[in-house]
Amino acid sequence: MEIKSLYEEYKQYFNVGTCVGVPHFNGNNTETELIKKHFNLLVAENCTKMMYIYRGLNDFNWKEGDDFVRFCQENNKLIRWHNFVWHAQTAPWIFLKEGVPVNMKDFFQNNINPADYASKELIEKRLQHYIQTVCDRYKGKIYSYDVVNECISDKLFALRTREDHSLWQEVMGPDYVSKAFLWAREADPDAELVINDYNLETIPQKRQAMFDFVKEQKSKGIPIDTIGLQMHINIFDSVPFIEETIEMFGKLGVNVIVTEMEISLYRFEEKEKKIIDADLLKVQADKYYECFEVFRRQAQKGILKDVVLWGVQDNHSWKNDFPVPGRGDAPLLFDKDGKPKPCFNAIVK
Ligand code: G3I
């Protein structure tokens, strides 16, 4: 029997997207076909991150970004750009004085000597130039940008600091977020600008911190259009809490989108490998169903606009190696052979 298209199923309510890896848009495999059929909104899983593109002030590597955008356009897909400002997969040279060699090991171990930082003015110039140059290249093609990604600390419930592996506040001060949004709006006035983070839909203090932060930014006229809920959740997470979060953020006068969803079979702290049987997959299917019902309701209320999954087939999910390397997981809608799982059948009737 012909399988129905996921995005067609929900198109009167919201767009349905997925992240894609380079082999999916530069090749043709089962997963490429699934992407074309089931999703109308795409985001690159890695290749549009700063570390892959911004090699130097006048040294941009466009190859995979261009391939990704071309694939989306040829297949009539909306495009999300992930991302401009993040503490991970960044371009370490951007923080350093000219001539200071980039030592990736030191960078990842948070061992950069503050004496090696470039001036605030130079770092701002480099960041603005990055945002401007990306927008100049793709303006009119990008539907939505993640301008700032994961800026709220899980420990402080405030902007991340160097202790949370982010140098942005340390080198530019706390208004780096406002500046990035203002530069992005100026560079591409028609696209949606998103502040994106994880655990907003599961940890009350983090949710409150994001609410307070966006409220303050909006009161200063900073152009944040949308809050992105990553939704890297698991089968034990509370669906009513997720719905409450969407409604709470909606009260700020912003849209809400789901940006990176999957449903893990494991609690974060669980280490033992499970037997993945029909009962477990049924629990996951019920959770997907409940979430998509929430999305439908919140879309009907005009708050939720898009739902993006973080991958297509289980065997390509980042969760196979996180938080337990090599353990495996099965958090997505399709199995390793590209066959729809019970969770797919629960949301596409
Ligand atoms: O490119 C190298 C390759 O040359 C090398 O051989 C290989 C060996 O490990 O590593 C490759 O880099 C990996 C990269 O993905 C590209 O495949 C990195 O090790 C790996 O850490 C990186 O993981 C990505 C992760 O972001 C990095 O933080 C995941 O694929 C990607 O799914 C994940 O996505 C993030 C979102 O951007 C933000 N929100 C959380 C989400 C999940 O962590």
Side-chain angles (χ1 to χ4, degrees):
M1 195 178 77
E2 174 73 6
I3 298 165
K4 283 164 75 182
S5 155
L6 173 59
Y7 85 79
E8 293 277 353
E9 181 89 355
Y10 288 92
K11 74 175 174 208
Q12 68 188 105
Y13 305 107
F14 48 82
N15 296 301
V16 186
T18 181
C19 77
V20 293
V22 175
H24 309 138
F25 56 81
N26 270 351
N28 209 346
N29 42 54
T30 326
E31 209 161 340
T32 308
E33 293 311 310
L34 292 174
I35 289 162
K36 288 182 188 168
K37 173 163 179 174
H38 293 289
F39 304 94
N40 67 333
L41 167 56
L42 302 182
V43 58
E45 183 169 12
N46 283 296
C47 74
T48 57
K49 294 171 181 172
M50 188 190 270
M51 72 175 284
Y52 296 107
I53 294 183
Y54 203 20
R55 303 291 178 83
L57 195 61
N58 294 306
D59 183 5
F60 285 74
N61 171 21
W62 297 116
K63 169 78 179 78
E64 287 170 352
D66 283 356
D67 290 346
F68 164 65
V69 170
R70 188 179 321 110
F71 176 84
C72 294
Q73 292 211 296
E74 282 172 1
N75 291 286
N76 206 18
K77 308 297 184 192
L78 295 165
I79 303 175
R80 275 184 39 75
W81 187 267
H82 176 71
N83 54 60
F84 284 142
V85 184
W86 189 24
H87 59 278
Q89 290 176 294
T90 187
W93 69 269
I94 202 172
F95 299 108
L96 300 173
K97 279 182 184 152
E98 260 169 278
V100 173
V102 174
N103 179 327
M104 293 304 269
K105 191 159 161 251
D106 278 351
F107 189 77
F108 288 124
Q109 292 180 351
N110 219 3
N111 281 338
I112 300 284
N113 181 352
D116 289 336
Y117 292 160
S119 67
K120 180 175 189 257
E121 293 67 33
L122 183 55
I123 296 170
E124 289 189 354
K125 181 180 153 198
R126 290 166 171 171
L127 179 59
Q128 182 175 17
H129 181 64
Y130 178 61
I131 293 173
Q132 183 72 51
T133 309
V134 170
C135 291
D136 284 349
R137 190 168 190 89
Y138 299 119
K139 199 169 1 196
K141 298 177 181 167
I142 309 295
Y143 161 73
S144 164
Y145 295 89
D146 283 336
V147 178
V148 176
N149 194 39
E150 302 177 5
C151 67
I152 304 288
S153 160
D154 297 278
K155 299 186 201 115
L156 303 172
F157 304 121
L159 277 189
R160 271 178 195 265
T161 62
R162 179 172 168 142
E163 285 65 46
D164 297 299
H165 303 280
S166 176
L167 288 186
W168 289 110
Q169 183 173 200
E170 169 138 327
V171 298
M172 276 178 61
D175 60 353
Y176 79 90
V177 176
S178 322
K179 287 186 173 158
F181 274 92
L182 290 167
W183 294 331
R185 175 58 31 101
E186 196 184 329
D188 192 346
D190 299 326
E192 173 191 52
L193 305 182
V194 180
I195 187 163
N196 189 38
D197 217 321
Y198 60 88
N199 283 350
L200 300 172
E201 64 290 321
T202 51
I203 300 184
Q205 300 95 313
K206 190 161 180 180
R207 173 173 86 172
Q208 188 63 45
M210 178 59 93
F211 181 91
D212 294 344
F213 183 73
V214 172
K215 190 172 177 196
E216 189 206 353
Q217 297 288 308
K218 300 283 291 176
S219 74
K220 292 189 210 154
I222 303 304
I224 298 178
D225 301 316
T226 298
I227 299 178
L229 304 181
Q230 292 190 1
M231 279 197 62
H232 295 292
I233 64 167
N234 65 56
I235 55 171
F236 304 98
D237 284 322
S238 158
V239 177
F241 192 87
I242 294 166
E243 182 152 33
E244 196 183 287
T245 306
I246 297 171
E247 296 209 330
M248 179 175 164
F249 288 154
K251 295 201 175 92
L252 289 167
V254 294
N255 284 122
V256 176
I257 61 176
V258 171
T259 54
E260 305 185 11
M261 181 183 186
E262 81 264 314
I263 304 185
S264 170
L265 302 176
Y266 294 89
R267 279 198 175 89
F268 191 81
E269 30 337 314
E270 279 181 310
K271 302 289 175 243
E272 290 300 303
K273 193 174 169 68
K274 293 180 179 174
I275 294 167
I276 301 176
D277 57 15
D279 288 347
L280 195 53
L281 293 176
K282 168 80 168 64
V283 173
Q284 183 186 48
D286 291 347
K287 190 67 75 170
Y288 264 103
Y289 174 76
E290 289 164 24
C291 286
F292 271 68
E293 286 303 294
V294 165
F295 301 155
R296 196 198 301 263
R297 273 200 293 279
Q298 294 303 324
Q300 282 170 320
K301 288 187 184 172
I303 303 174
L304 185 111
K305 252 172 13 81
D306 309 317
V307 175
V308 180
L309 291 140
W310 207 242
V312 180
Q313 293 186 186
D314 280 339
N315 53 323
H316 291 146
S317 169
W318 73 292
K319 290 297 292 180
N320 289 314
D321 288 305
F322 187 85
V324 183
R327 178 188 53 195
D329 200 332
L332 296 169
L333 297 177
F334 296 88
D335 71 12
K336 66 177 174 35
D337 302 313
K339 298 268 176 334
K341 289 166 56 190
C343 51
F344 178 90
N345 296 324
I347 59 174
V348 180
K349 302 285 184 188

